[in-house]
């Protein structure tokens, strides 16, 4: 697990965007795992700008989103399909037929979950998976107690997650309590995982993810098992870690190594 501690949220977004830029320039037909929520928005803004400047292209890329509210049509303003269209897809040169979000309006959600897994496999698996993290350590909608080998499935949201997301819904607007989400096992299958977190309200979850035990009570701790997981956080999100200076030292040495290898 690589821990990257940066000064602020803007630096976190730029660092994450650079990872996706390198991936797309290395492999134009990359399969990208994407996330919603407030944290990825700045990263998407960076990618839109890179696309406008001609630094990257999405025209051959395929995307799979982590999750969707069950019961919402893709045209609903609070659906994650709508979010992705507004925050990224409408502004870059991507073929929307190549973008996938779990179908919140599926007539048979269990069958839809199996089909989603099959589509990911048919695409060759996810090259880079973007993640945010909830205050309770959830990734996607894998709430505490989620199985560490779980696959795409229907999940009940915890009260904490519902309360955290309530700000996106009007006072008289229906807020779903169910979702379709990639499982933790699905996430761990990605070749590379990039988790972004900013703000002091994520500090406890980051500490549990990085320094806590591997446990279903903190779903993100499963990333300790991943062969190429990068945790990109600002100083506020890192504030509860016990070994901040050690992580900074290791990352500095890693940067020196990468620079040396690039010069060969």
């Amino acid at each position: 697990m690589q821990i990257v501690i940066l000064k602020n949220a803007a630096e976190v977004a730029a660092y994450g965007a650079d990872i996706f830029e390198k991936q797309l320039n290395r492999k134009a037909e990359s399969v990208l795992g994407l996330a919603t929520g407030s944290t990825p928005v700045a990263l998407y803004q960076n990618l839109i700008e890179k696309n406008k400047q001609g630094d990257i292209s999405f025209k051959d890329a395929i995307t799979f989103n982590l999750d969707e509210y069950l019961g919402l049509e893709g045209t609903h303003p609070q659906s994650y399909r709508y979010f992705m269209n507004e925050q990224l897809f409408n502004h870059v040169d991507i073929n929307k037929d190549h973008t996938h979000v779990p179908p919140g309006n599926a007539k048979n959600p269990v069958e839809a979950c199996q089909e989603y897994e099959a589509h990911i496999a048919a695409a060759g698996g996810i090259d880079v998976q973007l993640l945010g993290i909830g205050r309770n350590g959830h990734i996607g909608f894998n709430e505490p107690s989620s199985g560490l080998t779980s696959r795409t499935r229907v999940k009940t949201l915890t009260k904490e997650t519902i309360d955290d997301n309530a700000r996106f819904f009007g006072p008289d607007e229906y807020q779903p309590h169910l979702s379709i989400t990639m499982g933790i096992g699905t996430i761990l299958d990605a070749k590379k995982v990039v988790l972004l977190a900013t703000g002091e309200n994520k500090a406890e979850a980051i500490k549990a993810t990085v320094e806590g035990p591997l446990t279903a009570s903190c779903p993100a701790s499963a990333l300790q098992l991943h062969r190429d997981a990068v945790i990109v956080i600002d100083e506020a999100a890192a504030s509860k870690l016990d070994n901040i200076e050690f992580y900074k030292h290791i990352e500095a040495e890693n940067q020196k190594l990468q620079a040396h290898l690039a010069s060969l």
Side-chain angles (χ1 to χ4, degrees), residues 69 141 143 155-159 161-162 165 176-179:
Y69 286 115
F141 274 134
E143 301 282 18
K155 280 292 289 180
T156 301
L157 306 181
T158 64
K159 184 180 184 303
T161 296
I162 292 169
N165 290 347
H177 290 193
L178 295 173
S179 69

Side-chain angles (χ1 to χ4, degrees), residues 3-263:
I3 313 301
V4 180
I5 301 172
L6 301 171
K7 191 171 184 179
N8 52 45
E11 290 186 5
V12 168
Y15 190 103
D18 285 347
I19 292 175
F20 279 83
E21 178 182 13
K22 290 174 184 175
Q23 176 63 38
L24 285 167
N25 287 334
R26 182 167 57 247
K27 180 184 175 185
E29 66 281 11
S30 289
V31 181
L32 307 177
L34 302 179
T36 55
S38 56
T39 305
V41 170
L43 181 147
Y44 294 149
Q45 290 171 346
N46 274 264
L47 292 180
I48 290 167
E49 188 61 29
K50 289 175 184 290
N51 182 245
K52 287 180 178 178
Q53 293 177 353
D55 296 331
I56 56 172
S57 173
F58 291 87
K59 66 184 181 66
D60 295 319
I62 300 171
T63 70
F64 288 91
N65 260 74
L66 277 168
D67 45 23
E68 177 61 283
Y69 286 115
L70 192 61
L72 295 188
E73 297 281 345
T75 54
H76 191 289
Q78 302 307 332
S79 76
Y80 287 167
R81 162 57 74 178
Y82 187 93
F83 175 98
M84 290 306 305
N85 287 343
E86 290 294 305
Q87 298 297 334
L88 181 63
F89 299 152
N90 288 346
H91 309 287
V92 296
D93 61 340
I94 199 163
N95 181 346
K96 283 191 183 175
D97 290 340
H98 293 168
T99 66
H100 303 83
V101 179
N105 61 346
K107 291 183 179 179
N108 187 331
V110 173
E111 196 172 276
C113 293
Q114 295 169 348
E115 291 175 354
Y116 204 67
E117 286 281 333
H119 289 321
I120 293 173
I126 293 171
D127 292 303
V128 182
Q129 176 65 60
L130 178 65
L131 298 175
I133 186 171
R135 290 189 299 123
N136 62 5
H138 75 248
I139 47 178
F141 274 134
N142 293 286
E143 301 282 18
S145 81
S146 293
L148 301 184
T149 60
S150 55
R151 313 303 299 186
T152 301
R153 67 212 188 284
V154 175
K155 280 292 289 180
T156 301
L157 306 181
T158 64
K159 184 180 184 303
E160 184 175 20
T161 296
I162 292 169
D163 290 346
D164 283 347
N165 290 347
R167 68 187 187 278
F168 300 117
F169 293 83
D172 298 321
E173 191 174 11
Y174 168 69
Q175 182 180 357
H177 290 193
L178 295 173
S179 69
I180 294 179
T181 184
M182 284 187 197
I184 295 175
T186 312
I187 292 168
L188 292 179
D189 280 348
K191 299 175 183 70
K192 187 182 190 74
V193 174
V194 180
L195 185 150
L196 307 184
T198 60
E200 191 174 355
N201 65 325
K202 299 297 177 69
E204 288 287 357
I206 288 298
K207 178 174 175 54
T209 297
V210 174
E211 297 178 338
L214 175 63
T215 172
S217 65
C218 177
S221 68
L223 298 182
Q224 296 174 20
L225 298 172
H226 200 277
R227 61 192 176 279
D228 189 6
V230 186
I231 313 298
V232 189
I233 52 181
D234 66 2
E235 291 180 350
S239 61
K240 299 284 179 72
L241 293 173
D242 292 331
N243 299 297
I244 293 176
E245 293 308 316
F246 172 74
Y247 301 133
K248 288 183 175 180
H249 171 73
I250 292 297
E251 179 58 20
E253 292 301 312
N254 180 57
Q255 292 298 325
K256 289 179 184 177
L257 176 60
Q258 295 303 317
H260 173 70
L261 293 175
S263 68

